[in-house]
Amino acid sequence: MTLSDKLNSYEKDYWDFADYRENNPITQYPAKMVAPMQKQLLNDILDFDSNISNILDPFMGSGTVLEIGKELEKDVIGFDINPLAVLITRVRLEGVPAKTIEKSISKLYAQFNLLLGNVDNHSFVNIEKWFRKDIIESLSIIRTAIMSEKDIRIRRFFWCCFAETVKRFSNTRTSTFKLHIKEEEKISAMLNHCMEEFKSNVQSHYKEYSFEKDVKINLQTGDSIQLMSELNDNSVDLICTSPPYGDNHTTVTYGQYSILPLLWIDTNDLDPFEQKLLIKFTAIDRESLGGRIKKIEDNSVYNYFLNLDNKEKRKKVISFFSDYEMAFGQMARVLKSGKLLVLTLGNRRVDGRELPFDKYNDYLANKNGMVVETTLSRNIRGKRMPLKVSHIAKQGAVKSMSKEYIKIYRKK
C-alpha cells in the first residue's frame, strides 16, 4: 500500500472531522487548522517515511502543525508575519515552568490590589476610540502587573491570556475579523469584568501549559519568503502548512484582528519584528502576501486562472499570485528531494467567481519539479467565519468557502 492508497482508504467524509471543536483556547485566532486532521495526516506520512527529523510551517498562524510536530518529537520551524501568531505559537510550544507558575500567579493577583489607583494609564493613538475609560484603567493595571513578572516564559503566557481579555473588552464587534466599532448602546452596556475574565483565562490554562520544551524550536516573525530564503537548500524533511487562500484585499485578514492586543503587549516580550507593523492598523496586512499592489505583466498564465472582469480586483489577485509564486519557489528549494509538501487550502470567490487556487498550486508544483502525490477534499464544519462575507453590488452577500483541499506534492 502506498501513502496515497492509505490516505484515500478512509470512509467518505473522514477528513471533515465534523465532530471536532477546539476547546477553550488560551487565545482565539482565526482560521485555525483542524488539529486531529493534521495529526492524522502527519502520523500517516510518518508511517511511510520514518526518516523525518524536522517540519516547516512557513505560514504557521497559531502553530497547530508545529504543536503536533513537537508531540511527535520532531524539530519544528515556523514563520508568520503576525507577531501575535508567533507569541501564541511560542507559548503553545514552550509552555511555562511547572515549579514556579503557581507562585507567579499568586504574585500577579496580589499586584492587582497594590496597583489599584497607582498606575499611569497605557496610551496609544486613538485608544479612547477603541476602549472605554474605565476599561483602559483596568487593562493598564493588568499590563503593569504582567510586566513585573521576571520569567519571560511566564510573561508570554500571561500576555496570551491578556490578549483575549483585550479583545473581549474592546469597542470592536466580535462578528468580524476586521475593526468595526460596536453600537454606542452596546459599548455603554458592557460590564467591566476585565480582571475576572483575565484570571479565569489564567486559571483555565496554566496547568496544560506547565511543561518544558524538549525539541528544537525555530520560530521567527516576518515575511515568509525572506525567512525561507535564509534556510539552506534541501534542508527540510517535511513542509506542512495552510497558505493564504487569496489576496488579502478581497479575503479576511488577521492583522486588524490582532492589532489591539499587540498595542497593549510589551513588545520587548515579542519575537523581534519590524515596529512599523504597529504604526497603522492595516500595516500587518499590507506587508503580507498580496498586501502591496505591484505592476505585474498580465500574462497568459494569469488569464488561464483568473476569469475576472474587474480590473482593480484582478490586479490585487495577480499581486497575491505573484507573491505566492515566490513563496512556493522557496518551499520547493528548501525541501529535500523525495520529500513531501502538504498544503491545506481553499478556493476563494472574487466578484462571485471562484478562484482555482488548488489548480494554481498544481501549476506551481509542476514548474518547481514536484509531482502530485494525492489530493484529498474535506467539508469545512463549524468554522469561526460568517457563512456569507463581503457584499457585491447587484449580487448581494457572497458565500464563504465550505470546502478545502489537501494537496500533497512530492519533490522529484
Side-chain angles (χ1 to χ4, degrees), residues 236 239 327-343 361-373 407-412:
V236 175
I239 300 176
F328 197 106
Q330 288 296 333
M331 289 191 285
R333 181 187 65 80
V334 302
L335 187 65
K336 292 179 181 177
S337 298
K339 298 298 187 178
L340 298 178
L341 167 62
V342 181
L343 304 176
N361 275 272
D362 289 346
Y363 160 75
L364 294 178
N366 181 65
K367 183 177 179 179
N368 285 278
M370 292 185 169
V371 294
V372 178
E373 185 83 358
K407 306 288 298 189
I408 302 179
Y409 305 105
R410 188 178 296 277
K411 185 174 178 179
K412 294 179 184 177

PDB file of all heavy atoms in Angstrom, residues 236 239 327-343 361-373 407-412:
ATOM      1  N   VAL A 236      14.968  20.687   4.640  1.00  0.00           N
ATOM      2  CA  VAL A 236      13.724  20.405   5.366  1.00  0.00           C
ATOM      3  C   VAL A 236      13.170  19.046   4.935  1.00  0.00           C
ATOM      4  O   VAL A 236      13.095  18.734   3.748  1.00  0.00           O
ATOM      5  CB  VAL A 236      12.681  21.509   5.104  1.00  0.00           C
ATOM      6  CG1 VAL A 236      11.351  21.158   5.761  1.00  0.00           C
ATOM      7  CG2 VAL A 236      13.197  22.853   5.618  1.00  0.00           C
ATOM      8  N   ILE A 239       7.286  19.776   4.743  1.00  0.00           N
ATOM      9  CA  ILE A 239       6.602  21.061   4.861  1.00  0.00           C
ATOM     10  C   ILE A 239       5.114  20.783   4.949  1.00  0.00           C
ATOM     11  O   ILE A 239       4.547  20.103   4.088  1.00  0.00           O
ATOM     12  CB  ILE A 239       6.894  21.988   3.670  1.00  0.00           C
ATOM     13  CG1 ILE A 239       8.393  22.284   3.559  1.00  0.00           C
ATOM     14  CG2 ILE A 239       6.114  23.301   3.809  1.00  0.00           C
ATOM     15  CD1 ILE A 239       8.776  23.110   2.341  1.00  0.00           C
ATOM     16  N   ALA A 327       6.900  32.442  -2.803  1.00  0.00           N
ATOM     17  CA  ALA A 327       6.880  31.638  -1.583  1.00  0.00           C
ATOM     18  C   ALA A 327       6.918  30.150  -1.932  1.00  0.00           C
ATOM     19  O   ALA A 327       7.630  29.366  -1.287  1.00  0.00           O
ATOM     20  CB  ALA A 327       5.625  31.952  -0.762  1.00  0.00           C
ATOM     21  N   PHE A 328       6.183  29.752  -2.953  1.00  0.00           N
ATOM     22  CA  PHE A 328       6.168  28.345  -3.367  1.00  0.00           C
ATOM     23  C   PHE A 328       7.559  27.931  -3.842  1.00  0.00           C
ATOM     24  O   PHE A 328       8.043  26.829  -3.527  1.00  0.00           O
ATOM     25  CB  PHE A 328       5.130  28.133  -4.478  1.00  0.00           C
ATOM     26  CG  PHE A 328       4.751  26.688  -4.672  1.00  0.00           C
ATOM     27  CD1 PHE A 328       3.517  26.225  -4.244  1.00  0.00           C
ATOM     28  CD2 PHE A 328       5.620  25.781  -5.275  1.00  0.00           C
ATOM     29  CE1 PHE A 328       3.160  24.898  -4.388  1.00  0.00           C
ATOM     30  CE2 PHE A 328       5.274  24.448  -5.442  1.00  0.00           C
ATOM     31  CZ  PHE A 328       4.033  24.001  -5.006  1.00  0.00           C
ATOM     32  N   GLY A 329       8.206  28.809  -4.586  1.00  0.00           N
ATOM     33  CA  GLY A 329       9.553  28.502  -5.053  1.00  0.00           C
ATOM     34  C   GLY A 329      10.521  28.281  -3.907  1.00  0.00           C
ATOM     35  O   GLY A 329      11.389  27.391  -3.969  1.00  0.00           O
ATOM     36  N   GLN A 330      10.386  29.071  -2.837  1.00  0.00           N
ATOM     37  CA  GLN A 330      11.241  28.889  -1.666  1.00  0.00           C
ATOM     38  C   GLN A 330      10.935  27.567  -0.954  1.00  0.00           C
ATOM     39  O   GLN A 330      11.849  26.879  -0.496  1.00  0.00           O
ATOM     40  CB  GLN A 330      11.078  30.057  -0.700  1.00  0.00           C
ATOM     41  CG  GLN A 330      11.697  31.355  -1.173  1.00  0.00           C
ATOM     42  CD  GLN A 330      13.211  31.268  -1.309  1.00  0.00           C
ATOM     43  OE1 GLN A 330      13.878  30.481  -0.621  1.00  0.00           O
ATOM     44  NE2 GLN A 330      13.770  32.056  -2.208  1.00  0.00           N
ATOM     45  N   MET A 331       9.649  27.222  -0.857  1.00  0.00           N
ATOM     46  CA  MET A 331       9.298  25.929  -0.240  1.00  0.00           C
ATOM     47  C   MET A 331       9.915  24.776  -1.021  1.00  0.00           C
ATOM     48  O   MET A 331      10.455  23.838  -0.447  1.00  0.00           O
ATOM     49  CB  MET A 331       7.772  25.776  -0.155  1.00  0.00           C
ATOM     50  CG  MET A 331       7.128  26.678   0.879  1.00  0.00           C
ATOM     51  SD  MET A 331       5.364  26.292   1.207  1.00  0.00           S
ATOM     52  CE  MET A 331       4.589  26.961  -0.268  1.00  0.00           C
ATOM     53  N   ALA A 332       9.838  24.865  -2.353  1.00  0.00           N
ATOM     54  CA  ALA A 332      10.413  23.812  -3.192  1.00  0.00           C
ATOM     55  C   ALA A 332      11.928  23.742  -3.038  1.00  0.00           C
ATOM     56  O   ALA A 332      12.522  22.656  -3.039  1.00  0.00           O
ATOM     57  CB  ALA A 332      10.041  24.065  -4.650  1.00  0.00           C
ATOM     58  N   ARG A 333      12.558  24.888  -2.896  1.00  0.00           N
ATOM     59  CA  ARG A 333      14.027  24.934  -2.784  1.00  0.00           C
ATOM     60  C   ARG A 333      14.524  24.305  -1.497  1.00  0.00           C
ATOM     61  O   ARG A 333      15.488  23.527  -1.498  1.00  0.00           O
ATOM     62  CB  ARG A 333      14.516  26.386  -2.875  1.00  0.00           C
ATOM     63  CG  ARG A 333      16.031  26.553  -2.787  1.00  0.00           C
ATOM     64  CD  ARG A 333      16.426  28.017  -2.714  1.00  0.00           C
ATOM     65  NE  ARG A 333      15.954  28.663  -1.496  1.00  0.00           N
ATOM     66  CZ  ARG A 333      16.570  28.551  -0.298  1.00  0.00           C
ATOM     67  NH1 ARG A 333      17.659  27.806  -0.168  1.00  0.00           N
ATOM     68  NH2 ARG A 333      16.077  29.185   0.748  1.00  0.00           N
ATOM     69  N   VAL A 334      13.870  24.626  -0.365  1.00  0.00           N
ATOM     70  CA  VAL A 334      14.388  24.149   0.930  1.00  0.00           C
ATOM     71  C   VAL A 334      13.991  22.709   1.221  1.00  0.00           C
ATOM     72  O   VAL A 334      14.614  22.042   2.060  1.00  0.00           O
ATOM     73  CB  VAL A 334      13.910  25.055   2.088  1.00  0.00           C
ATOM     74  CG1 VAL A 334      14.345  26.492   1.859  1.00  0.00           C
ATOM     75  CG2 VAL A 334      12.409  24.972   2.295  1.00  0.00           C
ATOM     76  N   LEU A 335      12.995  22.189   0.522  1.00  0.00           N
ATOM     77  CA  LEU A 335      12.555  20.807   0.754  1.00  0.00           C
ATOM     78  C   LEU A 335      13.550  19.827   0.142  1.00  0.00           C
ATOM     79  O   LEU A 335      14.039  20.023  -0.971  1.00  0.00           O
ATOM     80  CB  LEU A 335      11.170  20.600   0.134  1.00  0.00           C
ATOM     81  CG  LEU A 335      10.468  19.270   0.413  1.00  0.00           C
ATOM     82  CD1 LEU A 335      10.141  19.121   1.891  1.00  0.00           C
ATOM     83  CD2 LEU A 335       9.198  19.156  -0.434  1.00  0.00           C
ATOM     84  N   LYS A 336      13.822  18.759   0.867  1.00  0.00           N
ATOM     85  CA  LYS A 336      14.735  17.730   0.365  1.00  0.00           C
ATOM     86  C   LYS A 336      14.093  16.944  -0.776  1.00  0.00           C
ATOM     87  O   LYS A 336      12.870  16.798  -0.832  1.00  0.00           O
ATOM     88  CB  LYS A 336      15.122  16.770   1.496  1.00  0.00           C
ATOM     89  CG  LYS A 336      15.974  17.388   2.582  1.00  0.00           C
ATOM     90  CD  LYS A 336      16.293  16.377   3.675  1.00  0.00           C
ATOM     91  CE  LYS A 336      17.130  17.006   4.774  1.00  0.00           C
ATOM     92  NZ  LYS A 336      17.394  16.050   5.892  1.00  0.00           N
ATOM     93  N   SER A 337      14.917  16.421  -1.663  1.00  0.00           N
ATOM     94  CA  SER A 337      14.422  15.609  -2.766  1.00  0.00           C
ATOM     95  C   SER A 337      13.693  14.383  -2.234  1.00  0.00           C
ATOM     96  O   SER A 337      14.130  13.751  -1.263  1.00  0.00           O
ATOM     97  CB  SER A 337      15.579  15.174  -3.665  1.00  0.00           C
ATOM     98  OG  SER A 337      16.207  16.300  -4.238  1.00  0.00           O
ATOM     99  N   GLY A 338      12.585  14.043  -2.870  1.00  0.00           N
ATOM    100  CA  GLY A 338      11.812  12.870  -2.474  1.00  0.00           C
ATOM    101  C   GLY A 338      10.883  13.110  -1.299  1.00  0.00           C
ATOM    102  O   GLY A 338      10.112  12.221  -0.930  1.00  0.00           O
ATOM    103  N   LYS A 339      10.927  14.319  -0.719  1.00  0.00           N
ATOM    104  CA  LYS A 339      10.104  14.618   0.464  1.00  0.00           C
ATOM    105  C   LYS A 339       8.817  15.331   0.059  1.00  0.00           C
ATOM    106  O   LYS A 339       8.618  15.732  -1.076  1.00  0.00           O
ATOM    107  CB  LYS A 339      10.897  15.454   1.456  1.00  0.00           C
ATOM    108  CG  LYS A 339      12.134  14.753   2.006  1.00  0.00           C
ATOM    109  CD  LYS A 339      11.774  13.493   2.793  1.00  0.00           C
ATOM    110  CE  LYS A 339      12.996  12.895   3.489  1.00  0.00           C
ATOM    111  NZ  LYS A 339      12.639  11.705   4.298  1.00  0.00           N
ATOM    112  N   LEU A 340       7.919  15.512   1.049  1.00  0.00           N
ATOM    113  CA  LEU A 340       6.563  15.968   0.781  1.00  0.00           C
ATOM    114  C   LEU A 340       6.297  17.414   1.189  1.00  0.00           C
ATOM    115  O   LEU A 340       6.788  17.892   2.211  1.00  0.00           O
ATOM    116  CB  LEU A 340       5.556  15.074   1.515  1.00  0.00           C
ATOM    117  CG  LEU A 340       5.523  13.591   1.125  1.00  0.00           C
ATOM    118  CD1 LEU A 340       4.506  12.860   1.980  1.00  0.00           C
ATOM    119  CD2 LEU A 340       5.209  13.420  -0.359  1.00  0.00           C
ATOM    120  N   LEU A 341       5.472  18.065   0.359  1.00  0.00           N
ATOM    121  CA  LEU A 341       4.893  19.367   0.663  1.00  0.00           C
ATOM    122  C   LEU A 341       3.389  19.150   0.812  1.00  0.00           C
ATOM    123  O   LEU A 341       2.730  18.699  -0.125  1.00  0.00           O
ATOM    124  CB  LEU A 341       5.175  20.361  -0.464  1.00  0.00           C
ATOM    125  CG  LEU A 341       4.389  21.675  -0.468  1.00  0.00           C
ATOM    126  CD1 LEU A 341       4.688  22.491   0.783  1.00  0.00           C
ATOM    127  CD2 LEU A 341       4.696  22.484  -1.730  1.00  0.00           C
ATOM    128  N   VAL A 342       2.842  19.454   2.004  1.00  0.00           N
ATOM    129  CA  VAL A 342       1.430  19.219   2.298  1.00  0.00           C
ATOM    130  C   VAL A 342       0.751  20.562   2.507  1.00  0.00           C
ATOM    131  O   VAL A 342       1.105  21.309   3.424  1.00  0.00           O
ATOM    132  CB  VAL A 342       1.269  18.332   3.562  1.00  0.00           C
ATOM    133  CG1 VAL A 342      -0.211  18.076   3.843  1.00  0.00           C
ATOM    134  CG2 VAL A 342       2.024  17.021   3.410  1.00  0.00           C
ATOM    135  N   LEU A 343      -0.232  20.881   1.671  1.00  0.00           N
ATOM    136  CA  LEU A 343      -0.917  22.169   1.722  1.00  0.00           C
ATOM    137  C   LEU A 343      -2.416  21.961   1.962  1.00  0.00           C
ATOM    138  O   LEU A 343      -3.064  21.208   1.235  1.00  0.00           O
ATOM    139  CB  LEU A 343      -0.741  22.927   0.402  1.00  0.00           C
ATOM    140  CG  LEU A 343       0.692  23.192  -0.072  1.00  0.00           C
ATOM    141  CD1 LEU A 343       0.667  23.859  -1.443  1.00  0.00           C
ATOM    142  CD2 LEU A 343       1.440  24.067   0.928  1.00  0.00           C
ATOM    143  N   ASN A 361      -1.802  25.872  -7.575  1.00  0.00           N
ATOM    144  CA  ASN A 361      -0.750  25.160  -6.850  1.00  0.00           C
ATOM    145  C   ASN A 361      -0.232  23.963  -7.653  1.00  0.00           C
ATOM    146  O   ASN A 361       0.964  23.666  -7.612  1.00  0.00           O
ATOM    147  CB  ASN A 361      -1.260  24.720  -5.478  1.00  0.00           C
ATOM    148  CG  ASN A 361      -1.140  25.808  -4.429  1.00  0.00           C
ATOM    149  OD1 ASN A 361      -0.122  25.946  -3.764  1.00  0.00           O
ATOM    150  ND2 ASN A 361      -2.192  26.607  -4.301  1.00  0.00           N
ATOM    151  N   ASP A 362      -1.113  23.282  -8.381  1.00  0.00           N
ATOM    152  CA  ASP A 362      -0.655  22.195  -9.256  1.00  0.00           C
ATOM    153  C   ASP A 362       0.315  22.741 -10.310  1.00  0.00           C
ATOM    154  O   ASP A 362       1.356  22.128 -10.603  1.00  0.00           O
ATOM    155  CB  ASP A 362      -1.841  21.534  -9.948  1.00  0.00           C
ATOM    156  CG  ASP A 362      -2.698  20.698  -9.012  1.00  0.00           C
ATOM    157  OD1 ASP A 362      -2.242  20.412  -7.877  1.00  0.00           O
ATOM    158  OD2 ASP A 362      -3.825  20.337  -9.405  1.00  0.00           O
ATOM    159  N   TYR A 363      -0.035  23.891 -10.858  1.00  0.00           N
ATOM    160  CA  TYR A 363       0.832  24.531 -11.865  1.00  0.00           C
ATOM    161  C   TYR A 363       2.192  24.876 -11.262  1.00  0.00           C
ATOM    162  O   TYR A 363       3.243  24.601 -11.859  1.00  0.00           O
ATOM    163  CB  TYR A 363       0.140  25.784 -12.402  1.00  0.00           C
ATOM    164  CG  TYR A 363       1.062  26.774 -13.061  1.00  0.00           C
ATOM    165  CD1 TYR A 363       1.584  26.548 -14.336  1.00  0.00           C
ATOM    166  CD2 TYR A 363       1.429  27.953 -12.395  1.00  0.00           C
ATOM    167  CE1 TYR A 363       2.438  27.467 -14.924  1.00  0.00           C
ATOM    168  CE2 TYR A 363       2.273  28.871 -12.982  1.00  0.00           C
ATOM    169  CZ  TYR A 363       2.777  28.626 -14.245  1.00  0.00           C
ATOM    170  OH  TYR A 363       3.633  29.526 -14.827  1.00  0.00           O
ATOM    171  N   LEU A 364       2.187  25.469 -10.067  1.00  0.00           N
ATOM    172  CA  LEU A 364       3.445  25.850  -9.418  1.00  0.00           C
ATOM    173  C   LEU A 364       4.270  24.624  -9.052  1.00  0.00           C
ATOM    174  O   LEU A 364       5.505  24.644  -9.143  1.00  0.00           O
ATOM    175  CB  LEU A 364       3.163  26.682  -8.169  1.00  0.00           C
ATOM    176  CG  LEU A 364       2.538  28.066  -8.389  1.00  0.00           C
ATOM    177  CD1 LEU A 364       2.279  28.753  -7.053  1.00  0.00           C
ATOM    178  CD2 LEU A 364       3.427  28.945  -9.267  1.00  0.00           C
ATOM    179  N   ALA A 365       3.597  23.559  -8.636  1.00  0.00           N
ATOM    180  CA  ALA A 365       4.312  22.330  -8.291  1.00  0.00           C
ATOM    181  C   ALA A 365       5.044  21.781  -9.508  1.00  0.00           C
ATOM    182  O   ALA A 365       6.239  21.450  -9.442  1.00  0.00           O
ATOM    183  CB  ALA A 365       3.330  21.298  -7.746  1.00  0.00           C
ATOM    184  N   ASN A 366       4.367  21.709 -10.625  1.00  0.00           N
ATOM    185  CA  ASN A 366       4.979  21.203 -11.848  1.00  0.00           C
ATOM    186  C   ASN A 366       6.147  22.092 -12.275  1.00  0.00           C
ATOM    187  O   ASN A 366       7.206  21.602 -12.690  1.00  0.00           O
ATOM    188  CB  ASN A 366       3.933  21.143 -12.957  1.00  0.00           C
ATOM    189  CG  ASN A 366       4.492  20.596 -14.254  1.00  0.00           C
ATOM    190  OD1 ASN A 366       4.888  19.430 -14.345  1.00  0.00           O
ATOM    191  ND2 ASN A 366       4.515  21.435 -15.279  1.00  0.00           N
ATOM    192  N   LYS A 367       5.962  23.395 -12.132  1.00  0.00           N
ATOM    193  CA  LYS A 367       7.010  24.347 -12.509  1.00  0.00           C
ATOM    194  C   LYS A 367       8.243  24.205 -11.624  1.00  0.00           C
ATOM    195  O   LYS A 367       9.369  24.472 -12.078  1.00  0.00           O
ATOM    196  CB  LYS A 367       6.457  25.764 -12.399  1.00  0.00           C
ATOM    197  CG  LYS A 367       7.417  26.860 -12.842  1.00  0.00           C
ATOM    198  CD  LYS A 367       6.758  28.230 -12.775  1.00  0.00           C
ATOM    199  CE  LYS A 367       7.727  29.322 -13.202  1.00  0.00           C
ATOM    200  NZ  LYS A 367       7.110  30.669 -13.173  1.00  0.00           N
ATOM    201  N   ASN A 368       8.046  23.769 -10.375  1.00  0.00           N
ATOM    202  CA  ASN A 368       9.162  23.667  -9.422  1.00  0.00           C
ATOM    203  C   ASN A 368       9.627  22.227  -9.184  1.00  0.00           C
ATOM    204  O   ASN A 368      10.218  21.925  -8.152  1.00  0.00           O
ATOM    205  CB  ASN A 368       8.738  24.299  -8.091  1.00  0.00           C
ATOM    206  CG  ASN A 368       8.726  25.815  -8.149  1.00  0.00           C
ATOM    207  OD1 ASN A 368       9.759  26.453  -8.007  1.00  0.00           O
ATOM    208  ND2 ASN A 368       7.550  26.385  -8.380  1.00  0.00           N
ATOM    209  N   GLY A 369       9.358  21.354 -10.135  1.00  0.00           N
ATOM    210  CA  GLY A 369       9.901  19.995 -10.052  1.00  0.00           C
ATOM    211  C   GLY A 369       9.234  19.113  -9.036  1.00  0.00           C
ATOM    212  O   GLY A 369       9.897  18.293  -8.385  1.00  0.00           O
ATOM    213  N   MET A 370       7.905  19.254  -8.899  1.00  0.00           N
ATOM    214  CA  MET A 370       7.157  18.414  -7.963  1.00  0.00           C
ATOM    215  C   MET A 370       6.041  17.682  -8.694  1.00  0.00           C
ATOM    216  O   MET A 370       5.550  18.147  -9.733  1.00  0.00           O
ATOM    217  CB  MET A 370       6.558  19.258  -6.838  1.00  0.00           C
ATOM    218  CG  MET A 370       7.570  19.861  -5.894  1.00  0.00           C
ATOM    219  SD  MET A 370       6.738  20.723  -4.536  1.00  0.00           S
ATOM    220  CE  MET A 370       8.123  21.006  -3.449  1.00  0.00           C
ATOM    221  N   VAL A 371       5.655  16.548  -8.151  1.00  0.00           N
ATOM    222  CA  VAL A 371       4.550  15.781  -8.711  1.00  0.00           C
ATOM    223  C   VAL A 371       3.457  15.642  -7.656  1.00  0.00           C
ATOM    224  O   VAL A 371       3.725  15.678  -6.453  1.00  0.00           O
ATOM    225  CB  VAL A 371       5.003  14.383  -9.178  1.00  0.00           C
ATOM    226  CG1 VAL A 371       5.969  14.493 -10.339  1.00  0.00           C
ATOM    227  CG2 VAL A 371       5.646  13.610  -8.025  1.00  0.00           C
ATOM    228  N   VAL A 372       2.213  15.499  -8.109  1.00  0.00           N
ATOM    229  CA  VAL A 372       1.091  15.337  -7.193  1.00  0.00           C
ATOM    230  C   VAL A 372       1.117  13.926  -6.615  1.00  0.00           C
ATOM    231  O   VAL A 372       1.072  12.945  -7.356  1.00  0.00           O
ATOM    232  CB  VAL A 372      -0.251  15.577  -7.908  1.00  0.00           C
ATOM    233  CG1 VAL A 372      -1.410  15.348  -6.945  1.00  0.00           C
ATOM    234  CG2 VAL A 372      -0.319  16.984  -8.481  1.00  0.00           C
ATOM    235  N   GLU A 373       1.206  13.839  -5.301  1.00  0.00           N
ATOM    236  CA  GLU A 373       1.128  12.544  -4.626  1.00  0.00           C
ATOM    237  C   GLU A 373      -0.345  12.130  -4.509  1.00  0.00           C
ATOM    238  O   GLU A 373      -0.717  11.019  -4.853  1.00  0.00           O
ATOM    239  CB  GLU A 373       1.761  12.648  -3.235  1.00  0.00           C
ATOM    240  CG  GLU A 373       1.842  11.335  -2.471  1.00  0.00           C
ATOM    241  CD  GLU A 373       3.059  10.510  -2.870  1.00  0.00           C
ATOM    242  OE1 GLU A 373       3.825  10.950  -3.765  1.00  0.00           O
ATOM    243  OE2 GLU A 373       3.242   9.434  -2.295  1.00  0.00           O
ATOM    244  N   LYS A 407      -3.619  19.226  -0.628  1.00  0.00           N
ATOM    245  CA  LYS A 407      -2.777  18.936  -1.777  1.00  0.00           C
ATOM    246  C   LYS A 407      -1.423  18.428  -1.282  1.00  0.00           C
ATOM    247  O   LYS A 407      -0.765  19.098  -0.476  1.00  0.00           O
ATOM    248  CB  LYS A 407      -2.557  20.193  -2.623  1.00  0.00           C
ATOM    249  CG  LYS A 407      -3.832  20.905  -3.073  1.00  0.00           C
ATOM    250  CD  LYS A 407      -4.576  20.127  -4.133  1.00  0.00           C
ATOM    251  CE  LYS A 407      -3.802  19.925  -5.385  1.00  0.00           C
ATOM    252  NZ  LYS A 407      -4.642  19.338  -6.489  1.00  0.00           N
ATOM    253  N   ILE A 408      -1.027  17.255  -1.732  1.00  0.00           N
ATOM    254  CA  ILE A 408       0.241  16.666  -1.290  1.00  0.00           C
ATOM    255  C   ILE A 408       1.124  16.462  -2.523  1.00  0.00           C
ATOM    256  O   ILE A 408       0.764  15.741  -3.456  1.00  0.00           O
ATOM    257  CB  ILE A 408       0.013  15.332  -0.557  1.00  0.00           C
ATOM    258  CG1 ILE A 408      -0.920  15.555   0.642  1.00  0.00           C
ATOM    259  CG2 ILE A 408       1.354  14.730  -0.107  1.00  0.00           C
ATOM    260  CD1 ILE A 408      -1.219  14.286   1.429  1.00  0.00           C
ATOM    261  N   TYR A 409       2.275  17.122  -2.504  1.00  0.00           N
ATOM    262  CA  TYR A 409       3.224  17.060  -3.601  1.00  0.00           C
ATOM    263  C   TYR A 409       4.519  16.416  -3.122  1.00  0.00           C
ATOM    264  O   TYR A 409       4.924  16.585  -1.978  1.00  0.00           O
ATOM    265  CB  TYR A 409       3.537  18.456  -4.133  1.00  0.00           C
ATOM    266  CG  TYR A 409       2.311  19.248  -4.554  1.00  0.00           C
ATOM    267  CD1 TYR A 409       1.828  20.286  -3.757  1.00  0.00           C
ATOM    268  CD2 TYR A 409       1.663  18.977  -5.751  1.00  0.00           C
ATOM    269  CE1 TYR A 409       0.715  21.025  -4.140  1.00  0.00           C
ATOM    270  CE2 TYR A 409       0.545  19.717  -6.137  1.00  0.00           C
ATOM    271  CZ  TYR A 409       0.063  20.729  -5.331  1.00  0.00           C
ATOM    272  OH  TYR A 409      -1.023  21.449  -5.705  1.00  0.00           O
ATOM    273  N   ARG A 410       5.171  15.704  -4.047  1.00  0.00           N
ATOM    274  CA  ARG A 410       6.475  15.119  -3.726  1.00  0.00           C
ATOM    275  C   ARG A 410       7.532  15.739  -4.633  1.00  0.00           C
ATOM    276  O   ARG A 410       7.343  15.844  -5.856  1.00  0.00           O
ATOM    277  CB  ARG A 410       6.466  13.589  -3.932  1.00  0.00           C
ATOM    278  CG  ARG A 410       7.752  12.921  -3.418  1.00  0.00           C
ATOM    279  CD  ARG A 410       7.697  11.413  -3.577  1.00  0.00           C
ATOM    280  NE  ARG A 410       6.653  10.802  -2.767  1.00  0.00           N
ATOM    281  CZ  ARG A 410       6.784  10.491  -1.486  1.00  0.00           C
ATOM    282  NH1 ARG A 410       7.912  10.772  -0.852  1.00  0.00           N
ATOM    283  NH2 ARG A 410       5.786   9.911  -0.838  1.00  0.00           N
ATOM    284  N   LYS A 411       8.621  16.160  -4.029  1.00  0.00           N
ATOM    285  CA  LYS A 411       9.707  16.759  -4.807  1.00  0.00           C
ATOM    286  C   LYS A 411      10.472  15.657  -5.527  1.00  0.00           C
ATOM    287  O   LYS A 411      10.867  14.662  -4.920  1.00  0.00           O
ATOM    288  CB  LYS A 411      10.652  17.542  -3.868  1.00  0.00           C
ATOM    289  CG  LYS A 411      11.760  18.297  -4.599  1.00  0.00           C
ATOM    290  CD  LYS A 411      12.553  19.164  -3.625  1.00  0.00           C
ATOM    291  CE  LYS A 411      13.694  19.875  -4.317  1.00  0.00           C
ATOM    292  NZ  LYS A 411      14.459  20.730  -3.374  1.00  0.00           N
ATOM    293  N   LYS A 412      10.656  15.847  -6.840  1.00  0.00           N
ATOM    294  CA  LYS A 412      11.347  14.827  -7.627  1.00  0.00           C
ATOM    295  C   LYS A 412      12.785  14.666  -7.165  1.00  0.00           C
ATOM    296  O   LYS A 412      13.416  15.640  -6.717  1.00  0.00           O
ATOM    297  CB  LYS A 412      11.332  15.229  -9.100  1.00  0.00           C
ATOM    298  CG  LYS A 412       9.929  15.244  -9.717  1.00  0.00           C
ATOM    299  CD  LYS A 412      10.016  15.688 -11.165  1.00  0.00           C
ATOM    300  CE  LYS A 412       8.633  15.812 -11.800  1.00  0.00           C
ATOM    301  NZ  LYS A 412       8.706  16.300 -13.188  1.00  0.00           N
TER     302      LYS A 412
END
